[in-house]
Amino acid sequence: MRAIRLAVAGLGTVGSETVRLLRSRRESLARRLGARLELAAVCDRRAAAAARRLGLPASVRRLTDPGRLPSLPGIDAVVELLGGLEAPRRLVLASLRRGLGVVTANKRLLAHGWDELREAAARGQARLHFEASVAGGIPILKALELGLAGDRVEAIYGILNGTTNFILTRMSEGMPAAAALRRAQELGLAEKDPALDLSGRDAADKVSVLASLVSGSWLRPDQVRVQGLEGVSLEDTAFARSALGRRVKLLGVARFTGAELRVEAFVSPALVPLEHPLAAVSDEFNAVLVRAASAGDLMFYGKGAGAGPAASAVLGDVLALGRELLTGTAPAAPRPGPALRLADSDCAFYLRLAALDRPGVLSSVTAALGRLGISIATINQPAGWDPRGVPIIITTHPTSPGTFGRALRSILALPAVSRRHTVMRLLP
Ligand SMILES: NC(=O)c1ccc[n+]([C@@H]2O[C@H](COP(=O)([O-])OP(=O)(O)OC[C@H]3O[C@@H](n4cnc5c(N)ncnc54)[C@H](OP(=O)(O)O)[C@@H]3O)[C@@H](O)[C@H]2O)c1
């Protein structure tokens, strides 16, 4: 039986589980593939200790420098599970340029280097698989790339960050945001430094990967409008539920308007109707709703992180790569596509302000919206929320984000209105 020889770089959470499964499922994987998956080398700063811990035989080479992997003789594919940016970037580019297949779980690498990776893969006639980079164990990328290849994807709405979804779930039960974050950290669901999660930047990287895959052209992460959880309070989550019949979710959205090369992409806290399937996604779970022209709405749900889910996605990629190598059918990655054009579409907004309790303040706020033709759907002034001002909560009818932004700037310039405010989008 032919062997596919693998090198695994990074023996941390995902790498260790990947190696463990590669070995424990050796026989069933070989039957499925019609070839043996042979672990030829591992690389980690503490490779020897990790190899001992994993019980690897002496035939598996142990390296500490990922830069040496691409030139190891007899390697067919590299599995990059290092994390970070620079070392993975050098490893993946060098491997692809040499014609080695690559599997990676690294969303940052893809989101920030999409075009150079495609270029390197095209140059080396090599394939790059990256299922675990978005939504962990959910096979969303294969669904988009293979299952929906004949369809036209119109939009993707995702809960793409488990940490923030866990925090929002606890907040909806009345736990303050800071305590919810501490709980997530205790459970190992949040990083020590959760800034990328809370700011929405982690979800933006995943939106970038999803949109680039669907469109074939790179949507850079800086083209995704990003708003994180920072402004969302317990009062917002309670008000959303009791007065608006909605739940707050941090959504990553990519909408392809008209031709697929026009895309609207954002990450934002959003008010989702309680009966919407995304509203039921709680705790650290991820979900992606794909709207396709012919298939309609498809919902993908599961664990977005963790050793098992990520290793499952990595192994799926390894098998896909193995099949391509065996049949010689690996289509070279397409060359970088033409530049995407950004679009905006109308959306209803939630705005919470804190204002001084003075006559005429409310009418100046509504006038600022009215001047720009923004129509108000609801307006509320709940009592006793905020000692620093009277809360004004407005929801609008759909309006363009640009127009809403201009109205917001003029409202925040009013002397009686505090600059502290919360904006969320309303999902229809
Ligand atoms: N964890 C998850 O649930 C999950 C889910 C989906 C995708 N991912 C992605 O999978 C990748 C790996 O994540 P992970 O959680 O497994 O990370 P991890 O636990 O930190 O493991 C990474 C391992 O690689 C080693 N390493 C990093 N840079 C190295 C270098 N330059 N040279 C040698 N060794 C190096 C690290 O050693 P040190 O500890 O000494 O740095 C560590 O042992 C990341 O891209 C992550 O975004 C993770």
Side-chain angles (χ1 to χ4, degrees):
M1 193 182 247
R2 191 182 152 187
I4 306 275
R5 287 166 57 83
L6 304 172
V8 175
L11 294 176
T13 306
V14 185
S16 292
E17 183 62 5
T18 298
V19 165
R20 196 187 67 74
L21 292 177
L22 267 174
R23 288 165 52 73
S24 64
R25 294 190 185 151
R26 190 175 11 218
E27 264 125 47
S28 67
L29 292 172
R31 267 199 310 280
R32 223 171 267 179
L33 183 61
R36 278 184 301 115
L37 290 169
E38 191 180 307
L39 184 64
V42 291
C43 174
D44 193 276
R45 257 190 275 276
R46 286 174 296 275
R52 255 197 318 281
R53 174 170 47 78
L54 290 163
L56 300 185
S59 58
V60 178
R61 292 194 62 173
R62 287 101 158 122
L63 303 172
T64 52
D65 175 8
R68 290 186 53 208
L69 284 183
S71 54
L72 274 189
I75 298 290
D76 297 303
V78 169
V79 181
E80 183 282 304
L81 300 168
L82 295 166
L85 206 49
E86 259 324 296
R89 178 173 170 269
R90 282 194 301 273
L91 170 61
V92 171
L93 287 175
S95 303
L96 291 172
R97 286 176 188 143
R98 278 181 164 259
L100 297 176
V102 173
V103 173
T104 177
N106 192 326
K107 75 216 141 209
R108 287 200 71 211
L109 173 68
L110 290 151
H112 294 265
W114 184 267
D115 269 1
E116 69 174 350
L117 293 170
R118 290 265 150 158
E119 195 74 72
R123 174 131 61 99
Q125 303 264 297
R127 272 291 271 175
L128 173 64
H129 289 264
F130 43 91
E131 183 65 71
S133 66
V134 177
I138 307 174
I140 180 64
L141 301 185
K142 288 204 181 55
L144 290 169
E145 200 177 13
L146 303 174
L148 291 166
D151 210 323
R152 185 164 57 77
V153 173
E154 295 173 340
I156 296 171
Y157 300 86
I159 294 175
L160 299 169
N161 183 273
T163 307
T164 46
N165 203 45
F166 179 89
I167 292 173
L168 284 170
T169 304
R170 295 290 82 79
M171 287 173 73
S172 72
E173 297 161 356
M175 186 185 280
L181 171 60
R182 274 197 304 280
R183 186 86 193 100
Q185 285 167 326
E186 282 158 17
L187 292 171
L189 300 170
E191 305 283 337
K192 250 196 232 120
D193 176 6
L196 283 177
D197 296 325
L198 300 183
S199 66
R201 295 250 51 111
D202 174 82
D205 283 351
K206 293 166 182 167
V207 169
S208 155
V209 174
L210 289 166
S212 303
L213 186 73
V214 167
S215 67
S217 288
W218 186 16
L219 176 79
R220 296 192 319 271
D222 63 10
Q223 293 175 305
V224 181
R225 286 174 200 269
V226 187
Q227 191 193 327
L229 271 200
E230 296 89 348
V232 179
S233 69
L234 262 190
E235 287 84 357
D236 292 312
T237 53
F239 184 84
R241 196 187 167 99
S242 60
L244 303 173
R246 287 168 178 265
R247 203 162 265 154
V248 180
K249 294 286 168 197
L250 187 71
L251 290 191
V253 175
R255 271 199 287 251
F256 304 91
T257 49
E260 279 178 3
L261 288 182
R262 277 179 72 80
V263 64
E264 175 184 30
F266 62 84
V267 172
S268 170
L271 293 165
V272 179
L274 289 176
E275 61 281 7
H276 192 285
L278 287 171
V281 178
S282 54
D283 299 310
E284 71 274 30
F285 280 84
N286 280 200
V288 185
L289 188 149
V290 178
R291 183 156 295 160
S294 301
D297 282 2
L298 303 161
M299 179 83 172
F300 300 82
Y301 169 85
K303 286 198 175 151
S312 161
V314 169
L315 281 190
D317 278 353
V318 168
L319 281 189
L321 193 55
R323 282 191 198 107
E324 291 163 359
L325 292 172
L326 288 173
T327 55
T329 53
R335 291 213 176 259
L340 285 173
R341 293 206 325 222
L342 298 183
D344 261 342
S345 53
D346 285 4
C347 173
F349 286 93
Y350 167 102
L351 170 62
R352 175 165 60 82
L353 301 163
L356 294 179
D357 194 6
R358 273 194 207 147
V361 175
L362 192 56
S363 60
S364 344
V365 169
T366 56
L369 292 165
R371 267 196 303 280
L372 289 173
I374 298 172
S375 143
I376 293 172
T378 64
I379 186 155
N380 280 275
Q381 288 195 283
W385 263 32
D386 187 340
R388 290 166 294 186
V390 176
I392 301 175
I393 300 179
I394 293 171
T395 62
T396 72
H397 286 295
T399 181
S400 95
T403 307
F404 181 78
R406 282 205 302 285
L408 180 60
R409 279 193 292 281
S410 65
I411 290 170
L412 296 178
L414 295 169
V417 174
S418 156
R419 294 203 63 80
R420 278 178 302 110
H421 67 283
T422 301
V423 171
M424 295 193 264
R425 294 180 181 238
L426 272 77
L427 197 70

